[in-house]
Amino acid sequence: MYKVKVFVTLRESVLDPQGTVVKNSLHSLNYSEVSDVRIGKYMELTVEKSDRPVEEAVKEMCERLLANVVIEDYRFEIEEAVAQ
């Protein structure tokens, strides 16, 4: 079994109005040291072992469903989960 952490963010070239609002709000709270905010999504998946490599399966999941690859970038981390 694997624990997969998936991070999805808008591509740098895509305008992020939500990130701009959060940055402006932080500035209004006197956190002027924040120069940029990009909003994204974080997902955790639990994936059972199979004959298929988990990296290949997760990449396909990201490209088919979890991320809009036209406007979003994604990355993921895979950890083998220890049974308890």
Side-chain angles (χ1 to χ4, degrees), residues 3 30 44 50 63 82:
K3 175 78 83 183
N30 294 323
E44 288 186 354
S50 71
E63 293 186 0
V82 178

Side-chain angles (χ1 to χ4, degrees), residues 1-4 45-50 52-55 58 78-82:
M1 182 180 314
Y2 299 95
K3 175 78 83 183
V4 181
L45 311 174
T46 301
V47 180
E48 300 290 333
K49 288 185 178 183
S50 71
R52 186 175 182 192
V54 67
E55 294 88 358
V58 172
I78 299 172
E79 299 173 8
E80 192 160 5
V82 178

